[in-house]
Amino acid sequence: QAAVCMIDECEEESANCTSCEKGACSGVGQTCEDPDHGAAVVGDWTCTCPLPSVGVATAQTAVCTIDECEEESANCTSCEKGACSSVGQTCEDPDHGAAVVGDWTCTCP
């Protein structure tokens, strides 16, 4: 009987397994870190969002935020998403951190 070959946390031929080696993070432009590549240690890998966005998740892709918005959200408003510039105004945001939301203001020209 043939051996079951493992690549990090996945059977070599498995299409349903996610890990750094299977491109779980790189497929969406994120960085993957796996502190233990042993086949016995599973689910310990993390995805990290590329700068300037922020976000980290364990054993799944991360939700990335840019300033106050999820990167992929079409419904979010912030300076980064053109909330003010789209109507010819200037946007000021004293803290661009993802944890500080609703602090931006629009100023008339």
Side-chain angles (χ1 to χ4, degrees):
Q1 179 175 342
V4 175
C5 299
M6 301 294 289
I7 296 177
D8 186 24
E9 303 178 1
C10 298
E11 289 182 20
E12 194 169 38
E13 302 302 318
S14 173
N16 298 323
C17 184
T18 55
S19 73
C20 289
E21 280 69 17
K22 290 284 190 169
C25 305
S26 62
V28 293
Q30 299 177 7
T31 303
C32 200
E33 296 265 340
D34 190 344
D36 189 331
H37 292 278
V41 182
V42 297
D44 62 331
W45 53 275
T46 60
C47 289
T48 304
C49 298
L51 294 174
S53 59
V54 294
V56 177
T58 301
Q60 63 184 350
T61 56
V63 174
C64 300
T65 56
I66 294 180
D67 189 22
E68 302 178 2
C69 298
E70 286 185 20
E71 206 169 56
E72 303 301 319
S73 173
N75 299 323
C76 183
T77 55
S78 74
C79 288
E80 306 297 334
K81 290 283 189 171
C84 304
S85 61
S86 64
V87 292
Q89 299 176 2
T90 302
C91 199
E92 294 287 328
D93 189 345
D95 188 333
H96 291 277
V100 181
V101 298
D103 62 333
W104 55 274
T105 57
C106 292
T107 305
C108 296

